């Protein structure tokens, strides 16, 4: 037996594990990495520029929070074979069903606009006109879905997740003081004290961790991928890996801006990319590419999240495994969301700042409902059987959901009434 | 025009069918479910009132 064969047989468990992982990995990694969307990247760059490495420890805490919430959608989707929108209609009736569906569609559309704002700003740095960016994005996303296979769509989307790691080389390019990163970043403290501005940034970072579309997206993706009950541990691992990468990208994003732009007020990630150029042209370029990729990943998941939800409720064929002629309404809705959001960004004088602020406000009206319904459904023995939440999971998820609701509501209130903090 | 009207009628019909299909909530109304739904209603009402207040204050300033 040659050396390669010996090595293969010696490591066949690892090979089998990796093969299975390659088959099952997808929704968890995708949803978590897409969580670092254009808005998320802007929040991280602004946090790094304001507080340096001081809040890295806080971002590390957000990983498990995202994991515990998203893991519940895996179990719910795999056991019920229903998306979150359909599950809400079925369990809680039409009032909560229509409320969730309408609010999700509105939130998703507004978030899509903010993703287009990020993408056009990112490619604008390279001199690409906004309309060209919008057309490129719509064509790329169109090609990804109309080929008629969930598997292909997912693997292309995962390739875009790899590009999201571009913040790691960007951080190394600007040569930060790594001993400072570890000394300051991992020590839980609040630089400058727990004042109003600090509280605002903490809430903004929490607000980017869990968005309503993530709950709806992952549950629908689990159903579309036909994840079975026996696959739940694999999907949980998939979600865990995704949570790790989302935190990793966020940390490196903070390191990039903290090392060079500390003390600057950053209003957008594109502004951070331009600000990095004089220090390192490549780091600035990587930041801009990362911002485009973040917006693109966000757009991929968000547009599908509402198309799946509407398809489920209206009873349309709504799988990415369907060809366009088999699921015309599903694809029509997908393109309607995408094209209309893209057009808004191109309208001269469109209230883009107001839209960006409004996203958070609308999302906060939906997030508590989506999370509370998730916990109630996960506690329903009739529905979940042996996969219902145990005591430990309930204690953890209840604490997380209550904290998320309080902090995201606080963030919205300070967005609406900024003077309350002073 | 007729096709648009037909499409609109079909859409209304589809909504009626959804309302009929999900008329009765299937979840068992335990104490936890009732309390949670009540809290959610109160929360949403509070958010709605705050948004209204913000809207009115913006409109009156301008």
């Amino acid at each position: 037996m040659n050396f390669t064969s010996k090595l293969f047989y010696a490591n066949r468990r690892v090979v089998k594990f990796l093969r299975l992982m390659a088959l099952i990995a997808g929704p968890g990694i995708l949803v978590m990495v897409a969580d670092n969307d254009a808005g998320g990247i802007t929040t991280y760059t602004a946090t790094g520029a304001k507080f340096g490495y001081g809040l890295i420890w806080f971002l590390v805490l957000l990983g498990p929070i995202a994991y515990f919430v998203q893991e519940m959608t895996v179990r719910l989707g795999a056991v019920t074979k229903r998306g979150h929108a359909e599950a809400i209609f079925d369990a809680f009736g039409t009032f909560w069903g229509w409320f969730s569906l309408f609010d999700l569609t509105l939130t998703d559309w507004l978030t899509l606009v903010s993703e287009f704002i990020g993408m056009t700003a990112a490619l604008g740095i390279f001199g690409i006109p906004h309309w060209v960016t919008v057309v490129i994005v719509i064509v790329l996303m169109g090609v990804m879905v109309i080929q008629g296979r969930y598997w292909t769509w997912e693997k292309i989307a995962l390739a875009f997740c790899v590009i999201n790691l571009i913040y790691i080389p960007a951080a190394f390019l600007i040569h930060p003081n790594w001993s400072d990163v570890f000394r300051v970043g991992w020590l839980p403290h609040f630089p400058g004290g727990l004042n109003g501005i600090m509280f605002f940034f903490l809430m903004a970072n929490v607000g980017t961790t869990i968005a309503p579309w993530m709950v709806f997206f992952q549950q629908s993706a689990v159903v579309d991928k036909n994840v079975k009950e026996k696959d739940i541990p694999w999907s949980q691992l998939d979600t865990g890996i995704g949570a790790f990468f989302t935190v990793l990208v966020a940390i490196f994003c903070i390191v990039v801006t903290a090392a060079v732009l500390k003390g600057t007020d950053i209003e957008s990630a594109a502004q951070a990319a331009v600000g990095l150029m004089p220090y390192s042209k490549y780091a600035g370029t990587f930041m801009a590419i990362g911002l485009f990729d973040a917006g693109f990943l966000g757009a991929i998941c968000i547009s599908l999240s509402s198309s799946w939800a509407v398809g489920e409720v209206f009873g349309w064929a709504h799988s990415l495994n369907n060809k366009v002629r088999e699921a015309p309404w599903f694809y029509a809705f997908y393109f309607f969301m995408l094209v209309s959001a893209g057009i808004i960004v191109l309208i001269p004088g469109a209230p883009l700042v107001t839209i960006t602020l409004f996203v958070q406000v609308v999302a906060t009206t939906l997030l508590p409902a989506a999370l509370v319904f998730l916990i109630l459904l996960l506690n329903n023995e009739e529905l979940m059987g042996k996969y219902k939440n145990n005591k430990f999971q309930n204690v953890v998820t209840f604490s997380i959901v209550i904290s998320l609701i309080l902090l995201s509501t606080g963030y919205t209130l300070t967005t609406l009434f900024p003077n309350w903090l002073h | 025009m007729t096709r648009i009207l037909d499409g609109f009628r079909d859409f209304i019909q589809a909504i009626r069918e959804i309302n009929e299909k999900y008329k009765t909530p299937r979840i068992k109304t335990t104490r936890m479910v009732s309390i949670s739904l009540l809290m959610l209603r109160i929360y949403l009402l509070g958010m709605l009132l705050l948004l209204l207040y913000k809207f009115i204050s913006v409109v009156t300033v301008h």
Side-chain angles (χ1 to χ4, degrees), chain A residues 48-87:
Chain A
K50 190 84 183 166
F51 300 107
Y53 308 123
L55 288 182
I56 286 179
W57 63 272
F58 186 72
L59 285 176
V60 175
L61 293 181
L62 297 180
I65 290 176
Y67 170 79
F68 272 105
V69 173
Q70 290 303 125
E71 180 273 334
M72 287 195 286
T73 67
V74 170
R75 277 184 285 143
L76 191 55
V79 173
T80 63
K81 308 278 180 274
R82 281 180 168 169
H84 202 53
E86 196 182 355

Side-chain angles (χ1 to χ4, degrees), chain A residues 111-250:
Chain A
T111 316
L112 256 180
V113 174
S114 71
E115 306 299 355
F116 271 107
I117 295 170
M119 286 187 282
T120 50
L123 293 193
I125 293 171
F126 305 114
I128 297 174
H130 290 182
W131 71 268
V132 175
T133 307
V134 169
V135 171
I136 289 172
V137 169
I138 291 171
V139 170
L140 262 175
M141 286 178 60
V143 170
M144 277 176 74
V145 295
I146 58 171
Q147 42 77 31
R149 280 192 72 197
Y150 173 89
W151 195 91
T152 314
W153 170 85
E154 186 185 86
K155 299 310 167 207
I156 298 172
L158 283 173
F160 281 100
C161 288
V162 176
I163 301 174
N164 205 244
L165 300 175
I166 202 164
Y167 295 101
I168 299 173
F172 282 98
L173 279 168
I174 51 158
H175 306 294
N177 185 336
W178 290 106
S179 64
D180 271 1
V181 175
F182 286 101
R183 191 175 48 83
V184 180
W186 295 89
L187 183 74
H189 71 295
F190 299 105
L194 193 57
N195 52 28
I197 301 293
M198 167 60 75
F199 194 57
F200 180 80
F201 271 86
L202 292 180
M203 288 186 296
N205 279 285
V206 171
T208 61
T209 307
I210 289 292
W213 66 263
M214 293 171 68
V215 174
F216 287 81
F217 173 84
Q218 191 167 2
Q219 195 172 327
S220 294
V222 161
V223 175
D224 205 354
K225 192 167 181 171
N226 199 18
V227 172
K228 296 182 171 60
E229 290 175 22
K230 67 180 171 61
D231 303 323
I232 287 175
W234 292 95
S235 290
Q236 286 170 328
L237 182 63
D238 172 43
T239 310
I241 293 170
F244 170 76
F245 279 112
T246 194
V247 172
L248 189 75
V249 168

